[in-house]
Amino acid sequence: MKTASQARRQMALIAGSSLILMALLAGVGYGYAFETLYVEGDTLATFQQFNQTPSLVYWVVATFVGILLLDVVVGWALYGFFYSTNSHLSMLAAVLRWVYSLSLGAALLPLLPLLDSAKMQKAAEVMAHLEDFLRVWSLGLILFGVHLLVLGYLILKSPKIPKWLGSMVCFAGICYVGIHAAQQIIADFSVYRKQIEGILSAPMALGELSLAIWLLVRGGKG
């Protein structure tokens, strides 16, 4: 029978490896496939990309389905890992991540018609499906940011985890909430979004990535 420390170590390994795999999938699905397919503000260029490489949509959908499933696993594993720190807040963090996973699933629905590229004959229609995906996903990322804030607080309250790691996760959460809330309520925010994301994307990514590495190397030991 596993001891509490062995079970916690196992949760750390599951969460850490899942977070690393999610980062790889996001790099392929969003960083490569979606960014190649979608040309912001240019409907015709996007339509040309869609017609030339329709398989990119499959890559986007497949990788994001993988990310969605891993989000469920991460939520469960982090709940188990932080249960001894605060059972109620660890459950809240897990539920927030699971609800975010549902919102990500809803965001993928507008992409499904694009899988049948032969039926997509209008540039505006293709662009509308891609922008619907981005809009719904952006709403979900506000919730994801709140999840990171709760998770960061749990890290700060955990005696054996470096405080700087909790601060990084909290900062990433603030960035997610701020950027995507502004996207919803400020009419011309898209003009500045690229510049803001260019500045904040590194610390946003480093928050969860640093947590993943710490979980794999140190999580649950001692």
Side-chain angles (χ1 to χ4, degrees):
M1 186 174 180
K2 290 180 182 177
T3 65
S5 60
Q6 288 174 328
R8 200 160 181 258
R9 177 60 182 155
Q10 184 179 47
M11 292 297 101
L13 291 173
I14 292 171
S17 57
S18 296
L19 287 168
I20 296 292
L21 183 53
M22 285 172 63
L24 294 174
L25 288 174
V28 173
Y30 183 76
Y32 167 68
F34 190 85
E35 288 287 309
T36 301
L37 177 66
Y38 176 71
V39 183
E40 185 174 4
D42 195 329
T43 301
L44 290 179
T46 299
F47 191 57
Q48 287 178 338
Q49 286 294 104
F50 174 73
N51 284 326
Q52 290 171 4
T53 51
S55 63
L56 289 176
V57 180
Y58 287 89
W59 280 101
V60 173
V61 172
T63 53
F64 271 87
V65 168
I67 290 169
L68 186 159
L69 295 175
L70 287 169
D71 265 318
V72 175
V73 173
V74 168
W76 164 73
L78 290 178
Y79 166 71
F81 184 79
F82 286 104
Y83 182 86
S84 60
T85 301
N86 188 309
S87 59
H88 298 298
L89 285 180
S90 61
M91 175 55 78
L92 175 60
V95 169
L96 286 168
R97 191 152 196 145
W98 292 334
V99 176
Y100 162 70
S101 300
L102 290 175
S103 72
L104 179 56
L108 290 175
L109 294 177
L111 296 181
L112 299 184
L114 298 180
L115 295 175
D116 189 354
S117 58
K119 292 184 178 180
M120 295 289 112
Q121 301 296 326
K122 296 180 179 179
E125 188 177 6
V126 171
M127 194 67 161
H129 282 293
L130 295 173
E131 290 182 339
D132 283 346
F133 161 72
L134 287 175
R135 184 171 59 254
V136 179
W137 187 28
S138 179
L139 282 169
L141 285 171
I142 298 173
L143 194 61
F144 180 72
V146 177
H147 156 78
L148 289 182
L149 287 170
V150 176
L151 182 60
Y153 180 80
L154 280 167
I155 294 171
L156 290 171
K157 290 297 181 181
S158 298
K160 295 182 180 180
I161 306 180
K163 302 304 179 188
W164 61 265
L165 188 54
S167 299
M168 286 184 68
V169 173
C170 284
F171 181 72
I174 292 169
C175 291
Y176 272 105
V177 173
I179 289 173
H180 293 283
Q183 181 75 23
Q184 303 301 321
I185 62 178
I186 300 176
D188 59 347
F189 182 72
S190 58
V191 177
Y192 313 101
R193 182 173 57 83
K194 284 287 187 183
Q195 293 175 324
I196 294 172
E197 285 184 336
I199 297 170
L200 297 178
S201 59
M204 287 166 70
L206 279 174
E208 271 207 309
L209 188 58
S210 298
L211 175 60
I213 294 170
W214 184 89
L215 287 167
L216 287 172
V217 176
R218 294 290 306 161
K221 289 184 176 179

